[in-house]
Amino acid sequence: MPESGVSRALHTPPSNDRTGLGLGTGTGPAARPTATEAARRTGLLVTLVLGGLTALPPLSMDMYLPALPAVTDALHAPAATVQLTLTACLGGMALGQVVVGPMSDRWGRRRPLLLGMVVYVLATALCVLAPSTELLIGFRLLQGLAGAAGIVIARAVVRDLYDGVEMARFFSTLMLISGVAPVVAPLIGGQVLRFTDWRGIFAVLTVVGILLTLVVWKWLHETLEPEDRHTGGVGDALRTMRGLLGDRVFTGYMIAGSLAFAALFAYVSASPFVVQEIYGASPQTFGLLFGVNSIGLITVGQINGKVLVGRISLDKALGCGLGIIVLAATALLLMTSGVFGDVGLVPVAAGLFVLMSAMGLAMPNTNAQALMRTKHAAGSASALLGTSSFLIGAVASPLVGIAGEATAVPMAVVQLVCSVGAMACFLGLCRPWQRLS
């Protein structure tokens, strides 16, 4: 049984920097930081770097959202086809995690992450030059495959360093940092469109990718000790994943979190058309509303991490969040289907705000509860969590546009089906009443 990640970070001798966190390279007493200093530096470095890595996917998705109608016009493609550029990126992130997760368990966190970041930068630069929708979809797929490294390895590093309640708190802290991205990304995207076309958004993302690659190269060192790495090949990785999927409770949290993410991504992929095309709002207004919803998610996530965790069980917080999501999705379906007449943008925006905010209870707690069951193979477990979320989200994405651009009903239907399914998996597979936490 490996030692706790926090204990390892604080007590491993700094000779050769075996903590992997840049906490010292000397061998004498003067070079060894105190436990307090080590904890402070560890927390700062890990939080900032992992926050940047987890912010990259929403940046890649959300900066691009205000430009979807513009891409439709520029490339002369239907909205459903352009939405496949989102699906391709999401699907790439799902499949990439299956590969990168086991790689990080075998070769450590740093090398696969740096390789993925370099390929991400190249793929994003190619998106700037894409002459057709088909090539843009292909480049977005490659962008997603490479960007998966940051997602899966960030979660694995958290598992390397933290456990139990501390891990849940750290996930909530990451939500605060990475949550800034969906707040500012649509606003940035809308402002970029004032001065250039949709290609300029990918140019900005290329620069962001370069800067983040340099930050990872300089500050994020290895967190997985050589003795804790897996030495098996593909067969061993597959057996590990099969064993994780054989854990009913782990699988329950995984699917519940994935379906909740799909409800969120139904909003992400449909909202540009719902807000701008159906309700006539500008790209800047859409960016503002998207930012307000993201602030709601961040705020609730911080309430979860700073107030609820340690006072009530993670399962109770998770169940409350899923229940609110179900109620919000039901209200959205009633409003968009005309049961209450023509309600306008404000009530629909309020329903979306409640749904997004409740994700702050659902998402960090599903990840924490699932990863707490994996003392070993954090990379493989993280890969399964991410792959499941992104694959289900990729399936949900095109469904929201199945009835065209004139109705928001498909978005609400997808959200309701996914949220009810998430609650059913939580209750039927996790069975929280059978456990103390």
Side-chain angles (χ1 to χ4, degrees), residues 181-412:
V183 171
V184 302
L187 297 174
I188 295 173
Q191 295 305 313
V192 169
L193 291 176
R194 287 180 176 269
F195 303 101
T196 183
D197 60 8
W198 60 272
R199 298 179 190 273
I201 292 176
F202 287 111
V204 173
L205 284 172
T206 302
V207 174
V208 171
I210 292 172
L211 293 175
L212 187 54
T213 302
L214 293 175
V215 168
V216 169
W217 175 76
K218 183 173 179 61
W219 281 297
L220 186 64
H221 303 279
E222 189 56 63
T223 61
L224 185 64
E225 302 289 355
E227 61 269 22
D228 293 333
R229 298 176 189 177
H230 290 195
T231 57
V234 175
D236 183 66
L238 292 176
R239 283 190 295 272
T240 298
M241 289 186 173
R242 186 168 63 246
L244 290 170
L245 292 175
D247 181 347
R248 171 180 53 80
V249 179
F250 173 88
T251 301
Y253 286 121
M254 180 187 73
I255 299 177
S258 299
L259 288 171
F261 178 82
L264 182 151
F265 197 74
Y267 158 75
V268 169
S269 59
S271 59
F273 297 98
V274 171
V275 174
Q276 295 179 74
E277 302 295 329
I278 297 177
Y279 293 101
S282 67
Q284 291 72 38
T285 299
F286 163 73
L288 178 62
L289 290 175
F290 197 92
V292 168
N293 290 342
S294 298
I295 290 173
L297 187 152
I298 294 170
T299 301
V300 174
Q302 291 312 291
I303 292 173
N304 176 72
K306 306 297 184 183
V307 178
L308 300 181
V309 171
R311 290 180 172 84
I312 67 173
S313 72
L314 300 184
D315 281 329
K316 287 181 180 178
L318 173 57
C320 179
L322 291 176
I324 293 172
I325 293 171
V326 170
L327 292 176
T330 301
L332 284 167
L333 179 58
L334 293 175
M335 288 188 287
T336 57
S337 61
V339 172
F340 302 125
D342 186 6
V343 297
L345 177 59
V346 173
V348 172
L352 291 172
F353 175 79
V354 173
L355 184 144
M356 282 284 286
S357 297
M359 294 291 174
L361 292 175
M363 296 174 66
N365 290 325
T366 51
N367 283 333
Q369 288 286 67
L371 287 173
M372 266 193 271
R373 301 184 66 83
T374 59
K375 293 290 185 182
H376 306 283
S380 296
S382 178
L384 287 174
L385 290 172
T387 298
S388 175
S389 294
F390 282 85
L391 281 179
I392 294 177
V395 171
S397 176
L399 296 179
V400 301
I402 199 169
E405 303 174 32
T407 176
V409 170
M411 176 191 73

